[in-house]
Amino acid sequence: MSKQADSSICAYAYCSHEQTGYEKHFFITPASLLQHVQKLDELGYFLEDITCMQVKEGFLLTYHFNRWEKPGRLALRVLVVEEDKTIDSISSIYPGALWHERECYDFFGIVFKNHPSLIPLLLPPEMEERPLLKSSEKLRDLYELLPGCEQVLHAPRDEEFGQFIKECSQKGK
Amino acid sequence: MFDLELGLDLSGDFYTRHFQPTPSEDTLILNMGPQHPSTHGVLRVILEIDGEYILRAEPVLGYIHRMQEKMGEVKRYEQYLPNMGRVDYLHALAWNWAYVGAVERLMGLEVPKRAEYIRVITCELNRINSHLLWWGAYLLDLGAFTPIMYAFQDREIVMDILQRVSGSRLTYCYYRFGGVSQDIDDIFIEKTKEFCAYLKPRLKMYKDLVTDNIILRKRVEDIGIIEEETLRKYGATGPVLRGSGIKYDVRRKEPYSVYSELDFEIPTASSKDALGRYLVRMQEIEESLKIIEQALEKIPPGPHISPQAPRRPKPPRGEVYFAVEGARGEIGVNLVSDGSAYPYRVKLRSPSFSNLSMFPEIAKGTLLADAVSILGSLDLVIPEIDR
Amino acid sequence: MIGSKLKETFDGVVSLLIGLKITFKNFLKPNLTVHYPRKTVKPEELTGYRGHIELVPKPENPFVPRCIGCGLCRDICPSGCIEVRSKRIAEEKEIHTPHFGLQDTPLDLTRKVAPPQKTKIEIVSFELNYNYCSLCGLCVQNCPAGSLRFSKDIYLASFSSRDFEFDLLKRLEKQAQARLKEEEEWTK
């Protein structure tokens, strides 16, 4: 991934593997997700998992990638806002994402566009509720929950950062 | 799909209806599982077959889904420990390790050297146990009944050894934040050494009895070939990956604990088929024995749990990822803390989940009987997939 | 073609003979399994095994548990299967009579001369619902008084789940009585 200030990258950070288990992480805009995943595919990364987390600003989707030869965990983070819980499916590039995305749909109700069969995977098909959604008093701000990494494009861990990411994720819509 | 005479709805349940057959007269939709003996637990696979050949396959999951991730959010850090023994009941200690490792990383907690060695020894013993059960059960799938009896005979010894220190025989809850719950004693060390000496000739016997057997070879050779590209796109790890010749092992590539001080190989096989995965697992047992012997030599005296170990941890806010190598591949625990006594989010990355997601791809065009062989060679543990 | 077929047959026979040899060797080995319930596992093989928890008595009185009623075990139990109820009993107040010269004063001096009230904790009930227990051992490790330990009761079977709701105080009493009986017989 290019290190220049790409407008689709809101922020990126290098982490200490000892402390967090990550090597670097990128905040990107939802619109540019496929493009970045495509780049990672070309670089020979494999998909570890896709996880989602509910925060005050919306839903933070994290795609974990790793490499066989030169391991270093990379996290692609996308913020999906509450009003529009949709994001592109990356299953056309990584078919392994099919199940991970269905799992996120099960637990959080996030809709993945262009997913061939977005049906419940682990939960019963008739189940309506999304078990991992939190009540509003339990929700935390995004900046509170980030790993202890050095944010490069913006100051780490303050309230502005969360707002910045939120605005950034609205770009290109 | 509606039988007028009997008045029965034959269109099946939600998943079968979703799995629309191709408009052809020759194909048949077959439902394998969830109680099929070869699916080990409650995995269900919907198959579309043309004669004996599989055209499409679609695993249906969730029959023993327990919402482990939600349980993680409603229990305190230390209360979640026993859950880890139940995610993957065959390699429970690796899950124990992944979770306590994540919490230790979050808190920056130092683990005493002795505890790290105890963890290595017990985790590798557990890995041997898991591989032995896979070996017996896989051969049972392929029609050989006796090997599982031999495997269980060996497993009993390991379970006795592990029971001495951990108190349980299957669903261990042994590791604690900052160490382990109980120190090992001389009898444990002695018994483990005895076991290492005992298993080596047994492994040779297994090779003579099973691995070199012509019937097994016919059932596994050139069956279920998985290409590198497929493995990467689906994120397969563990022996499934190494069976296709890729040297990726978390113990070596992302070293945790004291694995970097120990000398062992990562076995790989270049054949990419079920036999490759079989051989990798058998060699891994030998490597595990090597690790255990070295660790028993090197184990230093000292405390088995860190004196700073908190009984009720309240980690600082932040997020960590901790990966360990389980018997089935890379186990990852992604833990998010908001600074309270309850985790904010626990994500469990189970290796079998990714490995099984490959199945529709590799089963395409194979014989139905071979699909059983392929499913077995992936070494699935359903509780780990469903979580 | 015929050559390869012959080789295959030969290999098959060799595999079969090797298998038969190993099977025959094992056939002559002694039985390894324990025929439960006619036989049970030897007690020394149960070292470290966790049965359900039980109370540890005080060294001076086998009828009273060491438990101080703090409730840490109940708090930490992941399945919430421990229920402890305790009550504080005030010990008899020992009142010193005030100096006889002061007895007739209108002030109530009796309270002032009494020593601070001593309380004792008595465990009213200690119940374990073994149905939900996952034998993690967190309660045993967290007990500050060392009042819990694992029992060796492992051959438990019943048709009703009610049979696994244990009253650990009663269990302790039974154990203490059995111990007393044993000691009596020993002294005879």
Side-chain angles (χ1 to χ4, degrees):
Chain A
M1 205 167 285
S2 63
K3 288 205 178 76
Q4 299 98 39
D6 192 339
S7 67
S8 61
I9 302 174
C10 302
Y12 62 90
Y14 295 99
C15 313
S16 136
H17 182 270
E18 283 278 286
Q19 282 167 15
T20 61
Y22 292 104
E23 213 81 321
K24 38 195 147 170
H25 72 165
F26 291 88
F27 271 100
I28 53 168
T29 57
S32 65
L33 174 69
L34 282 179
Q35 166 204 339
H36 287 290
V37 171
Q38 185 73 47
K39 257 186 219 162
L40 291 177
D41 181 31
E42 281 157 21
L43 289 170
Y45 277 89
F46 73 87
L47 179 74
E48 262 182 342
D49 60 14
I50 300 175
T51 148
C52 185
M53 179 168 79
Q54 198 185 6
V55 286
K56 265 188 191 155
E57 286 86 357
F59 294 89
L60 183 70
L61 274 163
T62 308
Y63 298 73
H64 289 123
F65 289 93
N66 209 337
R67 249 187 309 195
W68 292 330
E69 286 81 24
K70 278 188 279 171
R73 189 163 291 104
L74 187 147
L76 271 191
R77 292 169 194 273
V78 188
L79 188 77
V80 180
V81 284
E82 186 85 47
E83 303 86 60
D84 179 28
K85 280 164 78 172
T86 54
I87 182 119
D88 286 316
S89 164
I90 62 161
S91 57
S92 53
I93 303 162
Y94 282 97
L98 283 170
W99 284 15
H100 293 297
E101 285 173 351
R102 275 169 74 183
E103 196 187 300
C104 285
Y105 169 70
D106 268 8
F107 294 167
F108 293 94
I110 289 167
V111 177
F112 290 87
K113 279 181 276 178
N114 302 327
H115 190 290
S117 66
L118 200 63
I119 53 171
L121 178 74
L122 296 174
L123 298 179
E126 60 274 7
M127 189 159 163
E128 293 277 310
E129 60 189 307
R130 304 293 171 200
L132 284 185
L133 294 185
K134 287 176 186 285
S135 55
S136 56
E137 68 266 21
K138 276 190 181 166
L139 285 178
R140 294 280 179 278
D141 283 305
L142 172 68
Y143 72 92
E144 285 184 62
L145 304 167
L146 290 176
C149 306
E150 203 186 321
Q151 305 294 340
V152 178
L153 288 187
H154 210 273
R157 293 202 173 205
D158 61 353
E159 282 164 50
E160 272 173 46
F161 182 72
Q163 196 56 38
F164 169 72
I165 293 291
K166 193 175 178 181
E167 276 164 23
C168 182
S169 68
Q170 298 284 327
K171 266 193 272 176
K173 283 233 163 183
Chain B
M1 282 296 185
F2 193 82
D3 195 317
L4 282 175
E5 279 176 33
L6 293 168
L8 289 172
D9 184 8
L10 295 177
S11 56
D13 72 337
F14 176 81
Y15 293 101
T16 326
R17 281 199 298 279
H18 205 272
F19 188 85
Q20 286 297 323
T22 42
S24 159
E25 291 278 299
D26 302 332
T27 61
L28 179 78
I29 303 279
L30 189 75
N31 195 48
M32 191 162 121
Q35 283 91 14
H36 194 275
S38 81
T39 54
H40 297 288
V42 278
L43 171 70
R44 174 175 157 205
V45 188
I46 308 176
L47 301 159
E48 185 181 359
I49 50 173
D50 180 8
E52 277 282 292
Y53 288 91
I54 295 170
L55 295 181
R56 263 188 323 151
E58 178 70 40
V60 177
L61 310 179
Y63 285 90
I64 37 169
H65 177 59
R66 293 154 294 171
M67 204 70 235
Q68 297 273 16
E69 291 176 8
K70 180 78 184 176
M71 275 192 248
E73 287 175 16
V74 297
K75 287 183 181 199
R76 286 201 307 270
Y77 282 93
E78 73 278 10
Q79 288 183 324
Y80 195 44
L81 281 168
N83 279 58
M84 286 295 107
R86 275 99 184 150
V87 179
D88 173 358
Y89 54 88
L90 286 182
H91 201 182
L93 284 175
W95 277 97
N96 267 247
W97 202 342
Y99 180 65
V100 296
V103 176
E104 280 157 9
R105 191 171 263 178
L106 203 54
M107 303 181 70
L109 192 64
E110 195 82 17
V111 184
K113 256 297 156 52
R114 187 176 174 85
E116 294 278 25
Y117 274 98
I118 295 174
R119 284 184 185 178
V120 167
I121 295 165
T122 47
C123 187
E124 293 302 321
L125 278 172
N126 204 186
R127 187 191 311 277
I128 292 174
N129 231 358
S130 170
H131 280 336
L132 278 173
L133 186 104
W134 165 81
W135 179 76
Y138 182 44
L139 295 168
L140 194 64
D141 288 352
L142 298 180
F145 182 76
T146 338
I148 197 167
M149 295 293 154
Y150 291 131
F152 268 77
Q153 189 182 334
D154 300 348
R155 270 173 61 83
E156 276 303 306
I157 302 170
V158 184
M159 289 206 278
D160 281 345
I161 294 171
L162 287 177
Q163 169 204 309
R164 237 194 121 70
V165 288
S166 72
S168 341
R169 292 173 74 82
L170 196 70
T171 48
Y172 308 103
C173 174
Y174 179 44
Y175 299 164
R176 294 287 185 273
F177 309 124
V180 293
S181 69
Q182 205 183 332
D183 204 356
I184 57 173
D185 55 0
D186 292 339
I187 300 174
F188 174 89
I189 295 173
E190 192 189 311
K191 276 191 167 180
T192 315
K193 278 182 182 159
E194 261 173 42
F195 172 73
C196 291
Y198 160 85
L199 196 65
K200 277 173 195 162
R202 289 284 285 197
L203 287 175
K204 205 196 152 290
M205 186 265 261
Y206 294 156
K207 186 173 179 297
D208 289 342
L209 181 69
V210 183
T211 315
D212 291 343
N213 189 290
I214 194 161
I215 305 171
L216 176 88
R217 293 268 167 173
K218 295 246 163 187
R219 284 303 300 274
V220 292
E221 254 172 348
D222 296 327
I223 304 290
I225 291 178
I226 314 176
E227 291 303 330
E228 219 171 277
E229 195 61 12
T230 320
L231 291 163
R232 190 170 68 79
K233 297 263 171 164
Y234 283 89
T237 42
V240 176
L241 182 66
R242 295 193 282 276
S244 287
I246 294 148
K247 231 176 181 171
Y248 179 79
D249 188 316
V250 184
R251 285 175 294 177
R252 272 275 177 263
K253 297 280 176 171
E254 208 185 312
Y256 55 98
S257 183
V258 288
Y259 276 113
S260 46
E261 294 170 17
L262 299 164
D263 169 46
F264 63 98
E265 292 290 309
I266 309 170
T268 53
S270 53
S271 60
K272 301 183 180 183
D273 54 1
L275 179 68
R277 300 191 273 282
Y278 175 96
L279 291 174
V280 163
R281 289 201 182 93
M282 294 315 274
Q283 280 166 24
E284 257 179 35
I285 298 180
E286 283 171 38
E287 292 303 321
S288 288
L289 286 177
K290 228 162 95 182
I291 296 172
I292 293 166
E293 279 174 341
Q294 283 175 44
L296 284 173
E297 290 289 314
K298 281 188 176 175
I299 188 163
H304 67 279
I305 189 158
S306 161
Q308 286 98 38
R311 283 196 169 157
R312 289 162 179 238
K314 251 189 181 179
R317 58 192 209 194
E319 178 177 356
V320 290
Y321 197 101
F322 194 83
V324 300
E325 181 73 24
R328 272 151 284 282
E330 181 182 331
I331 292 169
V333 172
N334 182 204
L335 204 62
V336 185
S337 159
D338 62 348
S340 69
Y342 296 84
Y344 188 76
R345 171 93 170 93
V346 187
K347 162 78 186 170
L348 309 174
R349 191 249 180 219
S350 80
S352 296
F353 186 84
S354 299
N355 291 356
L356 178 66
S357 69
M358 234 163 28
F359 181 70
E361 186 111 336
I362 43 180
K364 222 174 267 174
T366 57
L367 284 166
L368 185 57
D370 288 346
V372 172
S373 176
I374 295 168
L375 266 183
S377 76
L378 292 177
D379 190 7
L380 305 169
V381 170
I382 312 299
E384 188 191 47
I385 297 169
D386 286 353
R387 283 160 298 163
Chain C
M1 184 66 201
I2 291 173
S4 70
K5 282 268 177 225
L6 272 176
K7 194 181 173 298
E8 207 169 84
T9 319
F10 181 73
D11 285 350
V13 171
V14 169
S15 286
L16 185 74
L17 286 176
I18 291 171
L20 278 177
K21 193 184 94 189
I22 290 164
T23 312
F24 188 71
K25 264 191 202 162
N26 275 283
F27 184 66
L28 297 176
K29 280 185 185 164
N31 204 348
L32 277 162
T33 44
V34 176
H35 281 236
Y36 182 79
R38 286 181 290 279
K39 275 191 273 173
T40 50
V41 179
K42 279 174 255 158
E44 65 262 26
E45 283 172 7
L46 285 176
T47 325
Y49 192 80
R50 292 173 185 166
H52 66 80
I53 52 166
E54 63 182 13
L55 289 167
V56 181
K58 280 186 180 165
E60 69 271 10
N61 186 357
F63 287 93
V64 180
R66 284 189 190 178
C67 179
I68 53 168
C70 62
L72 270 179
C73 49
R74 180 193 54 205
D75 248 30
I76 205 162
C77 180
S79 330
C81 52
I82 300 173
E83 195 52 63
V84 196
R85 252 178 254 118
S86 59
K87 69 175 176 202
R88 274 177 191 275
I89 317 168
E91 279 184 351
E92 286 286 297
K93 247 193 211 169
E94 197 183 307
I95 302 166
H96 302 280
T97 25
H99 192 268
F100 56 88
L102 295 168
Q103 272 172 6
D104 296 334
T105 50
L107 297 166
D108 178 20
L109 287 172
T110 44
R111 199 175 283 172
K112 287 196 175 162
V113 254
Q117 208 174 17
K118 265 189 191 169
T119 53
K120 211 171 79 181
I121 287 169
E122 196 193 83
I123 311 299
V124 184
S125 72
F126 198 110
E127 283 162 12
L128 167 74
N129 193 345
Y130 190 46
N131 295 306
Y132 302 125
C133 177
S134 52
L135 292 168
C136 58
L138 286 170
C139 50
V140 176
Q141 280 160 17
N142 267 272
C143 184
S147 174
L148 290 171
R149 67 173 173 217
F150 295 111
S151 67
K152 292 275 174 259
D153 260 12
I154 55 162
Y155 301 110
L156 291 170
S158 170
F159 287 109
S160 160
S161 66
R162 298 296 295 276
D163 293 348
F164 298 114
E165 289 165 14
F166 301 126
D167 186 344
L168 294 185
L169 275 183
K170 264 190 195 150
R171 187 185 156 83
L172 185 73
E173 205 181 308
K174 263 188 205 162
Q175 279 174 334
Q177 267 164 358
R179 217 174 90 185
L180 280 186
K181 224 180 193 179
E182 216 171 78
E183 274 169 16
E184 262 172 38
E185 273 172 25
W186 191 250
T187 44
K188 266 180 205 170

